[in-house]
Amino acid sequence: MTTMSILQQYRLKYRPHLPPILNHLTDLKPVYEPYSSIAPNTLKPLFPETWGQQAISFAKGDAAPHNPLKVGVVLSGGQAPGGHNVITGLYDALQRLNPNSRLIGFCDGPGGIVQNKAIDITGDLLKGYRNQGGFDIIGSGRTKIETPDQFTAALKAVSERDLDALVIIGGDDSNTNAAFLAEYFKKNRSKTRVIGVPKTIDGDLRNEFIEISFGFDTACKTYSEMIGNIARDALSAKKYYYFIKLMGRSASHIALECALQTHPNMVLIGEEIDQEKKTLQDVTRDIVELIVNRAAKGKNYGVILIPEGIIEFIPEFKQLIAELNVLMSPDQPHQQKIDSMDDAAARAGYIEKLLSKEAVHCFNGLPLEIKSQLLLDRDPHGNVQVSKVESERLFMETVKKELEALAKAGKYKGKFSAQPCFYGYEGRSALPSNFDSNYCYALGHTAALLADAGANGYVCYVRNLSKPVEEWTVGGVPLTGMLYPEERQGKSKPVIKKALVDLTGRPYFQLKAAAPSWADNDDYCYPGPIQFAGPPDLADTSPIILKDLKD
Ligand code: FBP
């Protein structure tokens, strides 16, 4: 273990607050409740063993002895602050249920299950990870368990290790995978139950039960600190437009939350662009209009937030990306051919010939750099790696061109100097906020309770998150009920649908109401660094976008 900063040492001593129901672990009994699944019945034949289960909550019963459990845990996908607290919460709860319980951690993501590579997670090991950022205790990875051989290997691993349960900490894809593993294990008469935990800074694993995935709060607070600092810099020097791309693969939840925290001059919301069917040129013109109006007031600076997933919401890009996803899928020879070419222009030229007329029109209008970024390797789920596409630079470029044309026509007299920023990875392993520390610790406890209750194919929830911890409730919902058929790499597959920004929701209306003033005036708000100590309205805040739920 490396030397710990003073703050890290203080955070090790932080005792996460638990909702009162989790103070009585050994007395709790599961309560089964009807659950309105969104999954169409066409998916039922794929899940004969785990279809149609009820939701589970917990209520106080009589104190009863609990059998020792052996549980495996795995971290899957991108890092999200709080992962270590899910594991400490799981460990502590298993110990409280029965001190002879054991926890093992599969290393480096789901690939560790397939390779049966794991370590014992002990109280001593956890001493250095309580309330700390990152996933480094066991590592993470993006391997997806999908081939028959991988399923067989996973079953072998959990059987050899005699696991009562396997806890998968992951996003929408990993929890989809958890649903399939739960079904497969049960079908093969394995005793190992599978339980998911909703993780992802993107905040797109949301539904009636999952109010927000863990990590979102800390990531947004981290980005908002930086956006606030940049806004103050813009206001002080009055010479730059900052084009800030914010992580969040598809949905614009992070951009929305950060905008509500910092009040930039403009924020692009992918879902709105999609609804209004705005082209690249339309979006460029919206930004240009803001810049021209501000220039007329002598303001040649500003802050513009761009969600990472933006390009997929612009219709011409949507089609281009859909075609690229199919063309570059593993059963096609094109990715290999492209990778063997040294020259970026040749690579672009090769793919151009395979695209439809509409897609080629969009592709040809892009700078070569962006074309190359679109042709990089797919992620393990077959998606274009949008975090590699520098949309902040793309917009800087298109806006600059348009402003030059306006200047030539005598319609713009301002100065335009822009700086690109990308805030992404730096938010994923930050020290978790009190909110994420508490939330994750409660999620870990809930996973232990579900394992103890014999639940299979469930994802944990903690609800009422916009309220004080004392009002939080916990339980589990069946994963199959959250599935929906979606086209992936040209094939229809059941997946947990990514939740997009609700354009009829309170947070979006709040943004729309404030946007005109933010555009003209410099209403910047400076949240500063995450606070871990102090009054609750300073240190224990939850994401602003949650406030529409029950308030
Ligand atoms: P998860 O969905 O696995 O939580 O990851 C989300 C994310 O952080 C996205 O915001 C981003 O697009 C992507 O991971 C980057 O992935 P990588 O770490 O593979 O570069």
mmCIF file of all heavy atoms in Angstrom, residues 76-80 142 171-172 174 199-202 204 247-249 254 308 379-380 385-388 425 428 498, ligand 1:
data_model
loop_
_atom_site.group_PDB
_atom_site.id
_atom_site.type_symbol
_atom_site.label_atom_id
_atom_site.label_comp_id
_atom_site.label_asym_id
_atom_site.label_seq_id
_atom_site.Cartn_x
_atom_site.Cartn_y
_atom_site.Cartn_z
ATOM 1 N N SER A 76 -17.127 -4.746 -12.134
ATOM 2 C CA SER A 76 -17.215 -4.882 -13.586
ATOM 3 C C SER A 76 -17.354 -3.519 -14.273
ATOM 4 O O SER A 76 -18.153 -2.679 -13.857
ATOM 5 C CB SER A 76 -18.436 -5.759 -13.907
ATOM 6 O OG SER A 76 -18.564 -5.931 -15.291
ATOM 7 N N GLY A 77 -16.551 -3.295 -15.303
ATOM 8 C CA GLY A 77 -16.669 -2.063 -16.098
ATOM 9 C C GLY A 77 -15.868 -0.911 -15.525
ATOM 10 O O GLY A 77 -14.898 -1.105 -14.782
ATOM 11 N N GLY A 78 -16.297 0.300 -15.877
ATOM 12 C CA GLY A 78 -15.557 1.504 -15.491
ATOM 13 C C GLY A 78 -15.631 1.750 -13.990
ATOM 14 O O GLY A 78 -16.612 1.401 -13.337
ATOM 15 N N GLN A 79 -14.574 2.357 -13.465
ATOM 16 C CA GLN A 79 -14.534 2.662 -12.031
ATOM 17 C C GLN A 79 -15.653 3.647 -11.677
ATOM 18 O O GLN A 79 -16.053 4.456 -12.514
ATOM 19 C CB GLN A 79 -13.188 3.282 -11.647
ATOM 20 C CG GLN A 79 -12.043 2.310 -11.600
ATOM 21 C CD GLN A 79 -11.679 1.765 -12.959
ATOM 22 O OE1 GLN A 79 -11.916 0.591 -13.244
ATOM 23 N NE2 GLN A 79 -11.154 2.591 -13.825
ATOM 24 N N ALA A 80 -16.090 3.584 -10.431
ATOM 25 C CA ALA A 80 -17.087 4.534 -9.924
ATOM 26 C C ALA A 80 -16.823 4.692 -8.429
ATOM 27 O O ALA A 80 -16.686 3.677 -7.729
ATOM 28 C CB ALA A 80 -18.507 4.027 -10.169
ATOM 29 N N ARG A 142 -13.616 -5.236 -18.429
ATOM 30 C CA ARG A 142 -14.825 -5.161 -19.250
ATOM 31 C C ARG A 142 -15.147 -6.455 -19.989
ATOM 32 O O ARG A 142 -15.976 -6.450 -20.902
ATOM 33 C CB ARG A 142 -14.686 -4.013 -20.259
ATOM 34 C CG ARG A 142 -14.752 -2.625 -19.625
ATOM 35 C CD ARG A 142 -15.087 -1.574 -20.656
ATOM 36 N NE ARG A 142 -15.078 -0.230 -20.115
ATOM 37 C CZ ARG A 142 -16.120 0.325 -19.492
ATOM 38 N NH1 ARG A 142 -17.238 -0.357 -19.352
ATOM 39 N NH2 ARG A 142 -16.043 1.554 -19.026
ATOM 40 N N GLY A 171 -22.633 -1.917 -14.303
ATOM 41 C CA GLY A 171 -23.623 -1.057 -14.939
ATOM 42 C C GLY A 171 -24.701 -1.854 -15.658
ATOM 43 O O GLY A 171 -24.936 -3.035 -15.336
ATOM 44 N N ASP A 172 -25.335 -1.251 -16.662
ATOM 45 C CA ASP A 172 -26.457 -1.908 -17.338
ATOM 46 C C ASP A 172 -26.032 -3.212 -18.012
ATOM 47 O O ASP A 172 -26.697 -4.243 -17.866
ATOM 48 C CB ASP A 172 -27.140 -0.955 -18.331
ATOM 49 C CG ASP A 172 -26.164 -0.314 -19.304
ATOM 50 O OD1 ASP A 172 -24.969 -0.195 -18.976
ATOM 51 O OD2 ASP A 172 -26.586 0.069 -20.411
ATOM 52 N N SER A 174 -23.376 -5.127 -17.348
ATOM 53 C CA SER A 174 -22.933 -6.135 -16.368
ATOM 54 C C SER A 174 -24.119 -6.735 -15.636
ATOM 55 O O SER A 174 -24.135 -7.931 -15.312
ATOM 56 C CB SER A 174 -21.977 -5.511 -15.355
ATOM 57 O OG SER A 174 -20.991 -4.778 -16.019
ATOM 58 N N LYS A 199 -23.943 0.127 -10.441
ATOM 59 C CA LYS A 199 -22.770 1.013 -10.463
ATOM 60 C C LYS A 199 -22.677 1.727 -11.804
ATOM 61 O O LYS A 199 -22.996 1.123 -12.823
ATOM 62 C CB LYS A 199 -21.519 0.144 -10.264
ATOM 63 C CG LYS A 199 -20.224 0.855 -10.514
ATOM 64 C CD LYS A 199 -19.320 0.159 -11.540
ATOM 65 C CE LYS A 199 -19.822 0.226 -12.952
ATOM 66 N NZ LYS A 199 -18.865 -0.094 -14.010
ATOM 67 N N THR A 200 -22.292 2.922 -11.868
ATOM 68 C CA THR A 200 -21.801 3.646 -13.046
ATOM 69 C C THR A 200 -21.915 5.147 -12.795
ATOM 70 O O THR A 200 -22.971 5.633 -12.352
ATOM 71 C CB THR A 200 -22.498 3.300 -14.388
ATOM 72 O OG1 THR A 200 -21.930 4.140 -15.391
ATOM 73 C CG2 THR A 200 -24.000 3.471 -14.416
ATOM 74 N N ILE A 201 -20.828 5.840 -13.060
ATOM 75 C CA ILE A 201 -20.865 7.299 -12.884
ATOM 76 C C ILE A 201 -21.861 7.915 -13.851
ATOM 77 O O ILE A 201 -22.351 9.011 -13.640
ATOM 78 C CB ILE A 201 -19.479 7.952 -13.092
ATOM 79 C CG1 ILE A 201 -18.964 7.740 -14.519
ATOM 80 C CG2 ILE A 201 -18.471 7.483 -12.056
ATOM 81 C CD1 ILE A 201 -17.932 8.748 -14.938
ATOM 82 N N ASP A 202 -22.169 7.196 -14.957
ATOM 83 C CA ASP A 202 -23.022 7.758 -16.014
ATOM 84 C C ASP A 202 -24.450 8.052 -15.529
ATOM 85 O O ASP A 202 -25.165 8.831 -16.149
ATOM 86 C CB ASP A 202 -23.106 6.801 -17.205
ATOM 87 C CG ASP A 202 -21.757 6.617 -17.885
ATOM 88 O OD1 ASP A 202 -20.784 7.247 -17.427
ATOM 89 O OD2 ASP A 202 -21.672 5.848 -18.855
ATOM 90 N N ASP A 204 -27.015 6.215 -15.739
ATOM 91 C CA ASP A 204 -28.064 5.776 -16.671
ATOM 92 C C ASP A 204 -28.679 4.431 -16.303
ATOM 93 O O ASP A 204 -29.490 3.891 -17.051
ATOM 94 C CB ASP A 204 -27.519 5.744 -18.113
ATOM 95 C CG ASP A 204 -26.294 4.877 -18.248
ATOM 96 O OD1 ASP A 204 -25.934 4.183 -17.291
ATOM 97 O OD2 ASP A 204 -25.664 4.902 -19.326
ATOM 98 N N MET A 247 -17.811 13.214 -19.237
ATOM 99 C CA MET A 247 -18.042 11.782 -19.425
ATOM 100 C C MET A 247 -19.520 11.419 -19.205
ATOM 101 O O MET A 247 -20.275 12.178 -18.596
ATOM 102 C CB MET A 247 -17.160 10.999 -18.478
ATOM 103 C CG MET A 247 -16.735 9.684 -19.027
ATOM 104 S SD MET A 247 -15.572 8.865 -17.951
ATOM 105 C CE MET A 247 -14.305 8.424 -19.132
ATOM 106 N N GLY A 248 -19.841 10.248 -19.662
ATOM 107 C CA GLY A 248 -21.223 9.757 -19.583
ATOM 108 C C GLY A 248 -21.530 9.216 -20.964
ATOM 109 O O GLY A 248 -21.952 9.974 -21.833
ATOM 110 N N ARG A 249 -21.314 7.930 -21.133
ATOM 111 C CA ARG A 249 -21.270 7.329 -22.464
ATOM 112 C C ARG A 249 -22.435 7.703 -23.386
ATOM 113 O O ARG A 249 -22.223 8.125 -24.512
ATOM 114 C CB ARG A 249 -21.192 5.808 -22.338
ATOM 115 C CG ARG A 249 -20.723 5.215 -23.591
ATOM 116 C CD ARG A 249 -20.831 3.778 -23.763
ATOM 117 N NE ARG A 249 -20.427 3.563 -25.133
ATOM 118 C CZ ARG A 249 -21.211 3.800 -26.169
ATOM 119 N NH1 ARG A 249 -22.464 4.170 -25.987
ATOM 120 N NH2 ARG A 249 -20.765 3.649 -27.387
ATOM 121 N N ILE A 254 -24.969 13.398 -16.460
ATOM 122 C CA ILE A 254 -23.839 14.077 -15.804
ATOM 123 C C ILE A 254 -23.821 15.547 -16.210
ATOM 124 O O ILE A 254 -23.667 16.442 -15.370
ATOM 125 C CB ILE A 254 -22.496 13.382 -16.147
ATOM 126 C CG1 ILE A 254 -22.446 11.995 -15.500
ATOM 127 C CG2 ILE A 254 -21.304 14.235 -15.698
ATOM 128 C CD1 ILE A 254 -21.166 11.211 -15.751
ATOM 129 N N GLU A 308 -20.558 13.590 -23.241
ATOM 130 C CA GLU A 308 -19.741 12.666 -24.046
ATOM 131 C C GLU A 308 -20.551 11.973 -25.141
ATOM 132 O O GLU A 308 -20.070 11.764 -26.250
ATOM 133 C CB GLU A 308 -19.151 11.619 -23.103
ATOM 134 C CG GLU A 308 -18.260 10.604 -23.740
ATOM 135 C CD GLU A 308 -17.764 9.591 -22.710
ATOM 136 O OE1 GLU A 308 -18.546 8.747 -22.248
ATOM 137 O OE2 GLU A 308 -16.584 9.657 -22.363
ATOM 138 N N ASP A 379 -15.566 -0.990 -27.972
ATOM 139 C CA ASP A 379 -15.397 -1.488 -26.613
ATOM 140 C C ASP A 379 -15.900 -2.937 -26.594
ATOM 141 O O ASP A 379 -16.447 -3.413 -27.595
ATOM 142 C CB ASP A 379 -16.119 -0.570 -25.591
ATOM 143 C CG ASP A 379 -17.632 -0.650 -25.675
ATOM 144 O OD1 ASP A 379 -18.162 -1.593 -26.308
ATOM 145 O OD2 ASP A 379 -18.294 0.235 -25.122
ATOM 146 N N PRO A 380 -15.692 -3.672 -25.474
ATOM 147 C CA PRO A 380 -16.050 -5.089 -25.488
ATOM 148 C C PRO A 380 -17.540 -5.339 -25.736
ATOM 149 O O PRO A 380 -17.946 -6.461 -26.006
ATOM 150 C CB PRO A 380 -15.659 -5.579 -24.088
ATOM 151 C CG PRO A 380 -14.691 -4.587 -23.580
ATOM 152 C CD PRO A 380 -15.037 -3.283 -24.220
ATOM 153 N N GLN A 385 -16.265 3.790 -29.144
ATOM 154 C CA GLN A 385 -15.776 4.337 -27.867
ATOM 155 C C GLN A 385 -15.909 5.861 -27.906
ATOM 156 O O GLN A 385 -14.980 6.566 -28.276
ATOM 157 C CB GLN A 385 -14.331 3.949 -27.657
ATOM 158 C CG GLN A 385 -14.132 2.451 -27.572
ATOM 159 C CD GLN A 385 -12.746 2.115 -27.062
ATOM 160 O OE1 GLN A 385 -12.365 2.448 -25.961
ATOM 161 N NE2 GLN A 385 -11.972 1.464 -27.909
ATOM 162 N N VAL A 386 -17.094 6.343 -27.501
ATOM 163 C CA VAL A 386 -17.350 7.783 -27.641
ATOM 164 C C VAL A 386 -16.422 8.636 -26.783
ATOM 165 O O VAL A 386 -16.177 9.787 -27.090
ATOM 166 C CB VAL A 386 -18.819 8.167 -27.369
ATOM 167 C CG1 VAL A 386 -19.685 7.913 -28.555
ATOM 168 C CG2 VAL A 386 -19.352 7.471 -26.148
ATOM 169 N N SER A 387 -15.880 8.046 -25.700
ATOM 170 C CA SER A 387 -14.969 8.857 -24.879
ATOM 171 C C SER A 387 -13.708 9.192 -25.665
ATOM 172 O O SER A 387 -12.980 10.115 -25.323
ATOM 173 C CB SER A 387 -14.627 8.149 -23.567
ATOM 174 O OG SER A 387 -13.948 6.953 -23.816
ATOM 175 N N LYS A 388 -13.457 8.459 -26.737
ATOM 176 C CA LYS A 388 -12.268 8.722 -27.559
ATOM 177 C C LYS A 388 -12.562 9.743 -28.667
ATOM 178 O O LYS A 388 -11.663 10.206 -29.348
ATOM 179 C CB LYS A 388 -11.769 7.415 -28.189
ATOM 180 C CG LYS A 388 -11.453 6.318 -27.194
ATOM 181 C CD LYS A 388 -9.961 6.262 -26.920
ATOM 182 C CE LYS A 388 -9.580 5.565 -25.628
ATOM 183 N NZ LYS A 388 -10.095 4.247 -25.400
ATOM 184 N N TYR A 425 -12.088 10.660 -16.716
ATOM 185 C CA TYR A 425 -11.446 9.646 -15.883
ATOM 186 C C TYR A 425 -11.125 10.170 -14.488
ATOM 187 O O TYR A 425 -11.149 9.422 -13.515
ATOM 188 C CB TYR A 425 -10.183 9.123 -16.581
ATOM 189 C CG TYR A 425 -10.522 8.428 -17.877
ATOM 190 C CD1 TYR A 425 -10.416 9.088 -19.096
ATOM 191 C CD2 TYR A 425 -11.013 7.126 -17.874
ATOM 192 C CE1 TYR A 425 -10.770 8.465 -20.285
ATOM 193 C CE2 TYR A 425 -11.371 6.482 -19.045
ATOM 194 C CZ TYR A 425 -11.249 7.160 -20.261
ATOM 195 O OH TYR A 425 -11.623 6.526 -21.420
ATOM 196 N N ARG A 428 -13.699 9.294 -11.818
ATOM 197 C CA ARG A 428 -14.187 7.922 -11.608
ATOM 198 C C ARG A 428 -13.599 7.228 -10.383
ATOM 199 O O ARG A 428 -14.132 6.226 -9.921
ATOM 200 C CB ARG A 428 -13.892 7.057 -12.832
ATOM 201 C CG ARG A 428 -14.599 7.531 -14.076
ATOM 202 C CD ARG A 428 -14.672 6.474 -15.140
ATOM 203 N NE ARG A 428 -13.415 5.804 -15.386
ATOM 204 C CZ ARG A 428 -13.250 4.898 -16.334
ATOM 205 N NH1 ARG A 428 -14.270 4.587 -17.122
ATOM 206 N NH2 ARG A 428 -12.096 4.319 -16.518
ATOM 207 N N LYS A 498 -30.660 1.635 -21.140
ATOM 208 C CA LYS A 498 -30.049 2.797 -20.491
ATOM 209 C C LYS A 498 -31.134 3.853 -20.272
ATOM 210 O O LYS A 498 -31.890 4.161 -21.203
ATOM 211 C CB LYS A 498 -28.973 3.392 -21.393
ATOM 212 C CG LYS A 498 -27.669 2.605 -21.393
ATOM 213 C CD LYS A 498 -26.608 3.361 -22.163
ATOM 214 C CE LYS A 498 -25.435 2.477 -22.527
ATOM 215 N NZ LYS A 498 -24.693 1.958 -21.380
HETATM 216 P P1 FBP B 1 -19.454 1.921 -16.970
HETATM 217 O O1 FBP B 1 -20.729 2.037 -17.741
HETATM 218 O O2 FBP B 1 -18.805 0.603 -17.059
HETATM 219 O O3 FBP B 1 -19.649 2.348 -15.551
HETATM 220 O O4 FBP B 1 -18.405 2.950 -17.582
HETATM 221 C C1 FBP B 1 -18.796 4.220 -17.920
HETATM 222 C C2 FBP B 1 -17.672 5.049 -18.459
HETATM 223 O O5 FBP B 1 -17.020 5.710 -17.413
HETATM 224 C C3 FBP B 1 -18.247 6.012 -19.493
HETATM 225 O O6 FBP B 1 -18.657 7.189 -18.917
HETATM 226 C C4 FBP B 1 -17.130 6.105 -20.496
HETATM 227 O O7 FBP B 1 -17.641 6.317 -21.785
HETATM 228 C C5 FBP B 1 -16.482 4.779 -20.448
HETATM 229 O O8 FBP B 1 -16.708 4.283 -19.156
HETATM 230 C C6 FBP B 1 -15.004 4.799 -20.716
HETATM 231 O O9 FBP B 1 -14.544 3.499 -20.749
HETATM 232 P P2 FBP B 1 -13.019 3.050 -20.630
HETATM 233 O O10 FBP B 1 -12.690 3.042 -19.183
HETATM 234 O O11 FBP B 1 -13.043 1.670 -21.169
HETATM 235 O O12 FBP B 1 -12.208 4.015 -21.394
#
